[in-house]
Amino acid sequence: MKSTDQQSKYSDEKSLFEFILDHQEDGIWVSDKDDVIIYASMAMGKIAGIPPEKICGNNVLKDFSEETTRDFNILYVKAKENLKPHWYEVPVTTLTGERTWQNGWVIPRVEQGRFLGMLTTIRDVSKRKKSEIQLEESVQGFNNTERIAKIGSWNMNVETKELTWSDQMYEILEVEKDEKPTFDLYFSRVHPDDLDYVKEIGSKVYEENAPA
């Protein structure tokens, strides 16, 4: 049996670890070998929208709706089977019905090749994901506008002199998209009657960063 001093030390260490975990920005929860959640941090409760104590006791794979954990469970099972950590970023509908994007690590707890449970970190990245989706939609809208108007566009990094072309620019010049855009490549697609004028404009852009 443990002495009173040992028990007190264990209790103090446990309290310290829980204090550290509860003051992390990322949510953290731990499941046992039967996939039952045995610990959930305060941040996990905030992300899920319910108190941590109501998260504990639930089976990860059985007690939540498919809409809530469908995509996450695929990664959880994969990590459980191969006993290796996996990174995830998936859409999750929280227990309060909020649609979110979450990412983090699922890390198997392993001893002598046996699965003892899972440690999972969670971060709500909904705002960042929403911005990425909006940017992607904006770029797609821009590309559609160029395609309809049959115009292309390009940009140059004034420091590195590297060029980027829009999708329609490649289409107009009949160049494969895996080719690196350069002024020489562009000039090779210009009609000879216009080449001197276009080169003069291109030279000002390249050397003086002047607008085209």
Side-chain angles (χ1 to χ4, degrees):
M1 294 180 64
K2 293 183 178 179
S3 68
T4 302
D5 288 343
Q6 287 177 318
Q7 290 177 337
S8 177
K9 181 180 179 182
Y10 173 78
S11 178
D12 290 343
E13 289 178 346
K14 182 173 182 291
S15 297
L16 174 61
F17 291 142
E18 288 184 351
F19 175 84
I20 293 172
L21 293 174
D22 283 341
H23 287 79
Q24 294 293 311
E25 178 183 351
D26 292 353
I28 297 173
W29 58 262
V30 180
S31 63
D32 63 15
K33 63 182 180 63
D34 297 316
D35 308 311
V36 175
I37 298 175
I38 58 176
Y39 170 80
S41 68
M42 292 176 63
M44 181 62 229
K46 291 180 180 179
I47 293 172
I50 62 174
E53 56 268 25
K54 289 190 176 182
I55 298 174
C56 293
N58 287 290
N59 186 293
V60 178
L61 301 176
K62 299 178 181 178
D63 292 338
F64 300 108
S65 69
E66 183 181 358
E67 184 180 30
T68 297
T69 59
R70 179 183 62 246
D71 295 299
F72 170 81
N73 282 354
I74 294 173
L75 273 299
Y76 182 96
V77 171
K78 185 176 182 179
K80 180 179 178 179
E81 290 176 346
N82 62 27
L83 301 180
K84 294 181 180 179
H86 285 275
W87 173 261
Y88 69 90
E89 182 164 294
V90 296
V92 174
T93 300
T94 68
L95 298 177
T96 58
E98 182 181 1
R99 297 182 181 277
T100 67
W101 276 86
Q102 299 175 6
N103 68 21
W105 286 95
V106 283
I107 305 170
R109 298 187 294 128
V110 183
E111 183 177 294
Q112 296 181 345
R114 294 183 298 111
F115 176 75
L116 299 182
M118 196 80 72
L119 186 152
T120 302
T121 66
I122 296 179
R123 174 172 293 186
D124 189 326
V125 292
S126 303
K127 291 182 179 179
R128 189 259 292 168
K129 196 68 179 180
K130 182 179 179 181
S131 296
E132 289 179 354
I133 292 173
Q134 289 176 336
L135 177 60
E136 184 178 344
E137 290 174 346
S138 178
V139 170
Q140 187 61 45
F142 176 77
N143 288 337
N144 287 338
T145 299
E146 284 198 336
R147 178 176 53 79
I148 294 171
K150 298 187 183 301
I151 59 175
S153 61
W154 57 271
N155 289 288
M156 184 185 77
N157 185 312
V158 296
E159 295 181 357
T160 64
K161 305 300 183 181
E162 290 185 342
L163 297 176
T164 55
W165 289 351
S166 67
D167 289 348
Q168 188 61 19
M169 190 74 170
Y170 281 97
E171 291 289 335
I172 293 173
L173 298 178
E174 297 181 343
V175 173
E176 295 294 329
K177 291 182 180 179
D178 58 355
E179 287 199 54
K180 183 178 180 179
T182 64
F183 278 107
D184 286 340
L185 179 57
Y186 174 69
F187 293 151
S188 70
R189 295 297 194 272
V190 175
H191 191 280
D193 291 346
D194 300 321
L195 188 56
D196 289 341
Y197 172 74
V198 172
K199 280 188 174 182
E200 180 182 352
I201 299 299
S203 178
K204 289 182 179 181
V205 171
Y206 187 84
E207 297 175 5
E208 304 173 18
N209 299 329

